[in-house]
Amino acid sequence: MIKNAVATLMVRLHHLPLPRAAPAPTYRCRRHITLPLPRPQASAAAMSTATEQAVADQKRALRADVRRALKALSPDQRASEDLAIQTTIMDSSWFKASKRLCAYISCKQLREVDTSKILEECLSSNPGQEELAKDLYVPRVEDKNRNMRMLKITTMDDLVKNSMNILEPSPVDATGKDREDVLSSSSPVDLLLLPGQAFDRTGRRLGRGGGYYDTFLMKYQELAKEKGWNQPLLVALSYSVQIMDEGVIPVNSTDVPIDALVSSSGVIPISAAALQRMR
């Protein structure tokens, strides 16, 4: 009896009409005009914009966290780390071998790792130490559109305070001659010493949000490629509280990775070039 009931049920199901497929969704406005669905490209663009905004929000939040951590550093701790970082760099073979370099001028208000001793070492002209002197280029911000130049200086007296009370090279020297721009130089630089807000051991660098250094670095790397020069080592200086765990720092396509990181604990080589040159 069970078999006969199952058979009868199967026959009835077989003759039931199949359900119709649901119509494709559309958007409607007044007068019942059917509008097409958005193109896939538009959806992708919206998603890209949303992703970029999410990354920007994450960066903003991380910068705020790091600023609080830097503010909490005692003056003694900062001074101790400043000395350790600068000594590590000046004692290194890769710094001593560099003849031409770009370096930032540290700003206490921004709580950047001090570079004063490194700059003095580069500009040294003491008798018997001429071989230590290096061609030194330091940053000058030109406008609010991410345009920054690296200009050559020969003495710390070449620096003047800008509108934000930050030291920069004057555009012309004492004779009225334009200072040499590293992007117009006929020779490559070996090393770039970089500031930043946060870093990690995989090469990620978080700047202050202006995009000046990333824009300059991309320009210089493209110039070096065109000229057939070796790419300079990109070395960031970092307090201990600025080093993040891997994956914490969000990045996008315009963020230039660093080759190595120097903290009070020593040198952290990251790229293949750094591993080779910093042995």
Side-chain angles (χ1 to χ4, degrees):
M1 292 179 66
I2 295 176
K3 289 183 179 181
N4 291 337
V6 171
T8 301
L9 178 60
M10 293 299 292
V11 170
R12 291 179 179 176
L13 291 174
H14 179 73
H15 287 86
L16 288 176
L18 293 174
R20 293 183 180 181
T26 57
Y27 295 118
R28 294 181 180 275
C29 62
R30 293 179 180 178
R31 298 184 183 180
H32 304 290
I33 299 175
T34 302
L35 299 177
L37 289 170
R39 294 182 179 180
Q41 293 88 339
S43 298
M47 184 177 297
S48 175
T49 302
T51 301
E52 290 175 1
Q53 185 58 53
V55 170
D57 291 343
Q58 291 169 14
K59 286 184 175 182
R60 192 177 301 110
L62 182 56
R63 289 189 186 101
D65 290 342
V66 175
R67 281 196 296 270
R68 285 191 288 270
L70 286 171
K71 190 175 181 179
L73 276 180
S74 69
D76 288 345
Q77 180 68 22
R78 283 187 60 190
S80 175
E81 294 198 28
D82 283 336
L83 179 59
I85 292 168
Q86 292 188 94
T87 301
T88 295
I89 291 173
M90 292 187 294
D91 288 346
S92 69
S93 59
W94 45 270
F95 174 78
K96 292 178 179 178
S98 298
K99 297 301 181 183
R100 299 162 57 79
L101 72 152
C102 298
Y104 71 95
I105 302 166
S106 54
C107 177
K108 287 186 177 180
Q109 300 96 303
L110 298 178
R111 294 184 173 85
E112 294 173 329
V113 173
D114 186 21
T115 56
S116 59
K117 295 182 183 301
I118 295 172
L119 300 181
E120 291 173 3
E121 184 83 355
C122 292
L123 299 173
S124 174
S125 58
N126 296 328
Q129 293 185 320
E130 290 80 1
E131 73 282 357
L132 298 178
K134 306 174 187 296
D135 288 339
L136 176 63
Y137 300 83
V138 295
R140 176 182 174 84
V141 173
E142 294 296 316
D143 53 40
K144 296 182 179 180
N145 298 317
R146 302 184 178 184
N147 290 314
M148 181 180 76
R149 294 194 293 163
M150 287 281 184
L151 303 181
K152 185 177 180 180
I153 63 171
T154 56
T155 172
M156 295 299 286
D157 293 335
D158 293 337
L159 304 176
V160 294
K161 290 183 178 180
N162 64 14
S163 59
M164 297 183 66
N165 211 33
I166 297 174
L167 288 174
E168 292 183 328
S170 58
V172 297
D173 61 20
T175 66
K177 183 179 178 180
D178 289 342
R179 295 192 185 279
E180 182 180 317
D181 188 323
V182 74
L183 291 175
S184 302
S185 176
S186 58
S187 301
V189 295
D190 308 299
L191 176 66
L192 279 98
L193 299 180
L194 308 172
Q197 196 74 357
F199 315 90
D200 71 15
R201 292 172 176 80
T202 68
R204 292 187 175 192
R205 171 186 172 273
L206 177 68
R208 297 189 176 276
Y212 290 96
Y213 272 93
D214 286 317
T215 301
F216 169 79
L217 292 174
M218 286 189 285
K219 287 180 180 178
Y220 192 87
Q221 288 177 335
E222 184 60 30
L223 174 66
K225 185 178 179 181
E226 291 175 1
K227 297 282 189 179
W229 295 338
N230 290 330
Q231 294 288 348
L233 275 181
L234 308 183
V235 180
L237 282 59
S238 174
Y239 289 117
S240 54
V241 297
Q242 293 177 280
I243 301 178
M244 305 289 111
D245 291 334
E246 183 177 348
V248 171
I249 300 176
V251 294
N252 52 35
S253 59
T254 60
D255 293 321
V256 178
I258 58 175
D259 292 303
L261 186 59
V262 181
S263 72
S264 57
S265 298
V267 180
I268 304 172
I270 298 167
S271 70
L275 289 168
Q276 182 179 11
R277 292 173 59 179
M278 293 179 158
R279 289 182 298 185

